[in-house]
Amino acid sequence: MSTPSLPSAKVIHVDTRGAVILSEESPETRDSRGIYLPNYIEPVSYIAVDIGGSLAKVVYFTRSPNPPASPSIAATYGSSNASDISTPLSSSPTPTDPVRPSPPSTPPPTVKRSGALTPLVLEPLSNAHASANNLLDNELLDDAIIQRTRPTIANRVKHFPGGSLNFERFETENIHECIEYIQALIERSAQVNQVTIEEMRKSVKIMATGGGAHKFYDLFKNSLCVEVHREDEMECLIEGLKFITLIPDEVYYFSEELISSFSHPQSKADGTTTKLNPPTHGSPTDGVLFESKLMPQLPCLLVNIGSGVSIIKVDEEGKFERVSGTSLGGGTLWGLLNLLTPAKTFDEMLALSERGDNSCVDMLVGDIYGQDYSRLGLKSTMIASTFGKVFKKGRDKRTFAPEDISKSLLFAVSNNIGQIACMNAEKYNLDRIYFGGCFIRGHPATIATLSYAIRFWSRGTKRAVFLRHEGFLGAIGAWIKNISPLDDEEPKW
């Protein structure tokens, strides 16, 4: 019996109804939670890769007949605060008995066993054969596999109902780990669907964007033996923004109270400051607020913070122009902290900053005036000079804690980006500023600093808005941009 070809629609729109953002496995994965799409059933086997100067981000879609067992923890327990940036209050339907995820494995990560890429050719399966091989852990191919008939198709075609959009990232200097991961995904998908690896490779296409799409083109093509298509970086960012804003509980911003608690900790009588933890209880007005409109709010400014920073103006029709940027971005923070602290990864650096007190390193307004400078609207806790205390009185540099250095530099880079973003928003008369890029990582202090900078320099007329998958806009854009066929031929049934 010949194998039936799975149809590819001429134009496919991803159905985001009922979308659920899954819970993270650890703080390091808070910006890379999967998105379960229960109503998206069209076949797609594209893998998108956005290769930047520091990180390579991967996005792909896998089939799963059953809903994942780990929805957002906050979706079940109703939490909404800065410590749960990664799992805020959700309005999406979820299973009633969530299973809390186990800690992630050490890199390179293993392929998630939650589904498989759908090949263009799928061999019919006998129940006996499927049961004997047990290829899908007894849950991915079962009675939930449905058959659907199209008016133009004589034979029925099997589809996997629903599935998950998956997100992974790798350090660009270890690009071979990324390739090994994709290779394992392709091999597992061939096994799951019981097709040959050659047939699976014919179905898979790599949609590459970012600077590395050119630098590593031959490496991906020759190592994976699949088609590789290069996509425009800025165009993919905008497409990614337009898609991700359709997902419930994706777009958020900080309340005024939460911004203030991070930006201006209370001063003690001895001159030190009280370190405030983000609120753990209360209404959403105490912490994280979510956009109710599931659509991109255009026109806007998109500030993408990767190794460097690109600032992109987007008009009402989605047309875009890169209008500014700065070389002082995530790579700057990563590089300086690597020199000045024992931290070896960006997540370790963020963890250090969470325990730090920047007032031990930075010179504050209160250090100069002894109080607020109310006439200029400057609170005593505002930073007057980054690292201003380091040289003061010839202090031994070894007396400065890595935690304090980390927080100071995090504030410095974030404040600088926020100020540049605000000036561009003023120049182009844009009130909404989206922040994206792997620099943010759902980190409360970073978000609060960027938010405060926008509010301060715009005198409260503009708002900083954030995305839970902020680091994957380019990869999402490359994926969604190529859902429709790559050529103009009519689909062949």
Side-chain angles (χ1 to χ4, degrees):
M1 179 184 295
S2 61
T3 58
S5 296
L6 289 179
S8 295
K10 184 61 179 175
V11 178
I12 302 176
H13 298 285
V14 177
D15 192 338
T16 60
R17 292 175 301 163
V20 177
I21 299 177
L22 306 180
S23 62
E24 75 280 10
E25 296 177 342
S26 73
E28 288 75 21
T29 62
R30 55 190 162 196
D31 65 332
S32 56
R33 299 163 301 280
I35 300 175
Y36 180 61
L37 302 170
N39 291 296
Y40 182 54
I41 61 174
E42 297 291 351
V44 58
S45 55
Y46 301 139
I47 302 173
V49 185
D50 178 10
I51 311 173
S54 301
L55 295 171
K57 289 78 66 177
V58 180
V59 171
Y60 61 96
F61 184 78
T62 55
R63 300 295 174 190
S64 178
N66 301 316
S70 56
S72 169
I73 294 173
T76 303
Y77 299 104
S79 173
S80 179
N81 54 73
S83 61
D84 272 340
I85 294 294
S86 54
T87 53
L89 184 66
S90 172
S91 58
S92 307
T94 62
T96 56
D97 297 313
V99 177
R100 291 177 184 266
S102 58
S105 59
T106 56
T110 56
V111 176
K112 296 177 180 176
R113 302 184 68 83
S114 59
L117 301 171
T118 306
L120 296 181
V121 175
L122 182 62
E123 294 182 0
L125 294 169
S126 66
N127 291 332
H129 190 57
S131 175
N133 285 281
N134 193 25
L135 294 177
L136 293 175
D137 302 328
N138 291 324
E139 62 179 82
L140 298 179
L141 281 179
D142 56 14
D143 291 338
I145 296 180
I146 63 173
Q147 302 230 358
R148 195 175 67 173
T149 302
R150 297 192 179 205
T152 57
I153 309 174
N155 299 323
R156 287 181 173 180
V157 179
K158 290 184 178 181
H159 286 268
F160 294 86
S164 296
L165 196 58
N166 303 277
F167 305 86
E168 298 290 341
R169 64 169 177 263
F170 305 83
E171 291 186 14
T172 303
E173 65 179 16
N174 300 323
I175 195 65
H176 287 283
E177 289 185 3
C178 177
I179 292 174
E180 290 171 6
Y181 183 91
I182 295 175
Q183 179 64 30
L185 173 64
I186 295 172
E187 291 174 353
R188 170 164 167 75
S189 297
Q191 182 188 34
V192 162
N193 292 290
Q194 299 185 23
V195 299
T196 65
I197 185 66
E198 291 76 15
E199 199 67 61
M200 194 70 220
R201 283 173 177 155
K202 291 178 183 178
S203 304
V204 174
K205 294 180 179 61
I206 303 295
M207 303 303 172
T209 188
H214 303 275
K215 182 176 181 180
F216 298 110
Y217 175 84
D218 290 333
L219 181 62
F220 272 79
K221 184 177 179 64
N222 297 331
S223 299
L224 298 173
C225 301
V226 299
E227 288 187 44
V228 180
H229 296 262
R230 288 170 285 199
E231 304 294 336
D232 180 76
E233 182 176 2
M234 295 300 162
E235 188 173 337
C236 287
L237 284 173
I238 304 306
E239 289 298 319
L241 175 66
K242 287 160 63 177
F243 171 77
I244 205 66
T245 52
L246 302 176
I247 304 299
D249 308 320
E250 173 70 34
V251 183
Y252 67 94
Y253 54 95
F254 270 16
S255 68
E256 296 296 317
E257 295 84 358
L258 191 54
I259 296 172
S260 296
S261 72
F262 277 96
S263 304
H264 301 300
Q266 298 173 354
S267 298
K268 296 180 181 179
D270 60 3
T272 62
T273 58
T274 301
K275 298 179 183 178
L276 295 181
N277 295 318
T280 56
H281 300 288
S283 67
T285 56
D286 295 325
V288 184
L289 301 169
F290 296 92
E291 288 286 359
S292 58
K293 295 181 179 179
L294 300 183
M295 63 177 65
Q297 302 292 303
L298 304 179
C300 70
L301 201 69
L302 173 59
V303 182
N304 194 61
I305 313 173
S307 300
V309 183
S310 288
I311 299 178
I312 307 164
K313 176 175 68 74
V314 188
D315 67 18
E316 296 90 339
E317 299 177 353
K319 296 179 181 179
F320 62 91
E321 177 187 3
R322 186 183 188 276
V323 294
S324 186
T326 173
S327 62
L328 304 181
T332 308
L333 181 65
W334 197 343
L336 289 174
L337 290 183
N338 192 54
L339 291 173
L340 300 174
T341 74
K344 299 302 180 184
T345 70
F346 196 60
D347 290 302
E348 288 179 9
M349 295 168 190
L350 289 179
L352 282 177
S353 72
E354 290 173 355
R355 303 191 298 270
D357 181 357
N358 71 297
S359 65
C360 296
V361 177
D362 296 338
M363 185 177 294
L364 308 182
V365 169
D367 295 323
I368 299 174
Y369 295 97
Q371 59 185 0
D372 293 346
Y373 193 167
S374 302
R375 185 175 181 181
L376 296 182
L378 304 177
K379 293 183 177 294
S380 62
T381 54
M382 286 190 65
I383 299 171
S385 175
T386 298
F387 270 46
K389 290 180 180 175
V390 173
F391 190 70
K392 190 177 180 181
K393 298 180 180 179
R395 292 179 63 181
D396 187 341
K397 65 180 180 180
R398 289 173 294 183
T399 64
F400 295 98
E403 292 84 355
D404 301 337
I405 292 172
S406 297
K407 177 155 283 190
S408 173
L409 284 174
L410 179 69
F411 282 169
V413 174
S414 299
N415 273 317
N416 183 63
I417 294 171
Q419 184 175 8
I420 295 173
C422 188
M423 289 190 293
N424 278 277
E426 291 281 359
K427 178 179 179 180
Y428 297 104
N429 195 29
L430 298 170
D431 296 331
R432 176 173 294 265
I433 306 172
Y434 286 103
F435 283 92
C438 282
F439 171 78
I440 300 170
R441 297 281 180 93
H443 191 243
T446 307
I447 297 165
T449 304
L450 291 169
S451 299
Y452 181 79
I454 297 301
R455 187 185 67 174
F456 178 83
W457 293 108
S458 71
R459 292 183 170 85
T461 62
K462 304 185 187 304
R463 172 176 291 168
V465 186
F466 301 88
L467 307 158
R468 293 172 72 185
H469 292 85
E470 69 266 328
F472 292 87
L473 291 184
I476 293 170
W479 183 78
I480 196 71
K481 190 169 171 286
N482 288 282
I483 293 301
S484 57
L486 296 175
D487 53 48
D488 295 325
E489 293 181 5
E490 290 295 324
K492 298 176 181 180
W493 307 117

